[in-house]
């Protein structure tokens, strides 16, 4: 479902994936003659949107192995996240095109707030702000603790085969049923004045992070400061953002992305801060807790088509990984286990002869 971090964000990988997905669905759902199929593929691959990309495609008849379409099929290309095609196709098959991935909000008699996550990888800071506004509209002015229920998934943060040294790259975001901003944080860095620390800003701003700015703005490399780097104290399992090294005074304002440790607590912290900014007092803390017999206030959701689109169009790892576990949860058991989703994928494609 994921590819190495140095490959994943290259734009020219994305369009071939979309073409392959279109071709897969086209072949599966419609019976065409060889000539019609050839013409249809030529039309798709001649689209102006692919003008600046390198496209490689090959269509083979499964029954006899005959190739009846080929374009640059012998050309060596870097592998992209082609497994996302199988995951998203399986999600549409098992969950249906009208499926909604939701996040539910509850409250108990002691004014403890509960946020139950169902793997919505599309949840963003602006949605958390909308949740806070809705809580305010419900007449709630005081909250004790804020609990996050993450029981929909198992507690395995990463997928099988992920590399430990991918940390803290944004492409190695932690998997959780309760997400925000793709479980990453943006770090903006800009040189301000020679021989001084650069300007640093986090987006979104949150007390969930601390910043250790050890960088220095320089005209030439100074061995005292070393190579410039923006990272997180990932070995220590901390959300301390570290900026260090020589930053050239001529450098432009730049944005770096890092994964977030304990993203479910990050989501809850953002909600706490949004509530407080709207005048709702939060007396307690944010913590993980399982929902049992509480009153549901409301829910928000994203459609499966928007998640499938993001998984394929932007090669979004979190959307794909969460979809895999959502399939497992909805068709097998909770908490969802990735291996269960993988088996369901295999079953589906075996049933259609792939």
């Amino acid at each position: 479902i994921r590819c190495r971090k140095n490959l994943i964000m290259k734009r020219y990988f994305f369009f071939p994936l979309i073409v392959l997905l279109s071709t897969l669905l086209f072949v599966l759902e419609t019976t065409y003659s060889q000539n019609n199929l050839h013409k249809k593929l030529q039309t798709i691959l001649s689209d102006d949107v692919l003008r600046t990309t390198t496209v490689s495609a090959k269509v083979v008849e499964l029954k006899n192995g005959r190739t009846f379409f080929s374009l640059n099929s012998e050309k060596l290309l870097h592998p992209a996240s082609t497994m996302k095609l199988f995951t998203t196709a399986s999600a549409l098959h098992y969950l249906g095109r009208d499926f909604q991935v939701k996040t539910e909000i509850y409250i108990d008699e002691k004014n403890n707030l509960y946020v139950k996550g169902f793997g919505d990888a599309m949840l963003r800071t602006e949605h958390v702000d909308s949740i806070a506004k809705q809580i305010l509209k419900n007449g709630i002015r005081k909250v004790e603790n804020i609990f996050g229920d993450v029981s929909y998934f198992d507690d395995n943060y990463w997928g099988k085969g992920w590399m430990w040294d991918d940390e803290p790259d944004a492409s190695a975001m932690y998997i959780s049923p309760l997400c925000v901003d793709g479980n990453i944080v943006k770090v903006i860095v800009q040189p301000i004045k020679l021989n001084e620390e650069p300007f640093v800003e986090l987006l979104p701003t949150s007390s969930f992070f601390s910043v250790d700015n050890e960088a220095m703005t320089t005209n030439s490399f100074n061995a005292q400061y070393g190579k410039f780097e923006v990272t997180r104290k990932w070995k220590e399992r901390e959300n301390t953002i570290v900026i260090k090294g020589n930053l050239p005074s001529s450098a432009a304002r730049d944005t770096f992305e890092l994964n977030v440790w304990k993203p479910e607590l990050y989501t809850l912290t953002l909600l706490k801060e949004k509530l407080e900014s709207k005048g709702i007092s939060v007396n307690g803390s944010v913590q993980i807790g399982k929902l049992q017999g509480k009153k549901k206030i409301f829910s928000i959701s994203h459609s499966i088509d928007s998640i499938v689109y993001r998984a394929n169009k932007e090669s979004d790892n979190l959307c794909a990984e969460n979809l895999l576990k959502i399939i497992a949860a909805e068709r097998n058991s909770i908490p969802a286990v990735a291996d269960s989703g993988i088996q369901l994928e295999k079953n589906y494609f075996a049933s259609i002869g792939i």
Side-chain angles (χ1 to χ4, degrees), residues 34 37 58-69 353:
Q34 179 178 342
L37 176 58
K58 186 175 183 179
V59 180
V60 178
E61 188 171 347
L62 294 176
K63 292 181 180 180
N64 55 29
R66 178 169 58 95
T67 299
F68 51 81
F69 183 85

Side-chain angles (χ1 to χ4, degrees), residues 292-340:
Q292 289 182 342
K294 315 304 178 188
K295 178 185 176 182
K296 182 178 175 180
I297 308 175
F298 63 93
S299 68
I300 63 172
S301 63
H302 285 95
S303 62
I304 191 172
D305 62 337
S306 63
I307 297 171
V308 166
Y309 178 86
R310 187 177 182 89
N312 289 320
K313 173 71 173 178
E314 300 188 26
S315 195
D316 189 287
N317 289 342
L318 187 63
C319 283
E321 293 289 349
N322 277 12
L323 272 178
L324 181 66
K325 288 194 174 183
I326 291 170
I327 294 169
E330 295 297 318
R331 296 305 296 258
N332 277 345
S333 60
I334 298 173
V337 179
D339 283 345
S340 173

Side-chain angles (χ1 to χ4, degrees), residues 171-190:
S171 66
M173 69 285 286
Y174 286 100
I175 302 166
S176 173
L178 192 53
C179 313
V180 67
D181 294 331
N183 295 346
I184 65 171
V185 61
K186 294 183 178 181
V187 185
I188 298 173
V189 181
Q190 180 179 0

Side-chain angles (χ1 to χ4, degrees), residues 25-26 28-30 87-101 301-309 323 326-327 331 348:
L25 296 177
F26 169 72
L28 290 179
E29 294 181 1
T30 313
T87 299
T88 52
S90 297
L92 290 170
H93 169 71
Y94 285 115
L95 305 175
R97 63 183 62 191
D98 296 324
F99 187 81
Q100 299 281 322
V101 182
S301 63
H302 285 95
S303 62
I304 191 172
D305 62 337
S306 63
I307 297 171
V308 166
Y309 178 86
L323 272 178
I326 291 170
I327 294 169
R331 296 305 296 258
Y348 168 53

Side-chain angles (χ1 to χ4, degrees), residues 221-272:
F221 185 81
N222 187 328
Q224 176 184 350
Y225 301 110
K227 182 180 177 181
F228 182 74
E229 184 181 11
V230 177
T231 186
R232 178 177 61 77
K233 288 188 176 180
W234 58 274
K235 291 181 180 179
E236 297 86 352
R237 289 291 189 261
E238 294 180 12
N239 283 300
T240 300
I241 309 301
V242 179
I243 302 94
K244 58 184 179 180
N246 290 265
L247 180 64
S249 58
S250 59
R253 181 185 179 95
D254 204 354
T255 301
F256 303 83
E257 295 182 344
L258 302 170
N259 68 1
V260 177
W261 172 240
K262 296 287 186 181
E264 56 279 352
L265 292 178
Y266 176 39
T267 306
L268 298 176
T269 299
L270 282 178
L271 177 57
K272 178 177 182 290

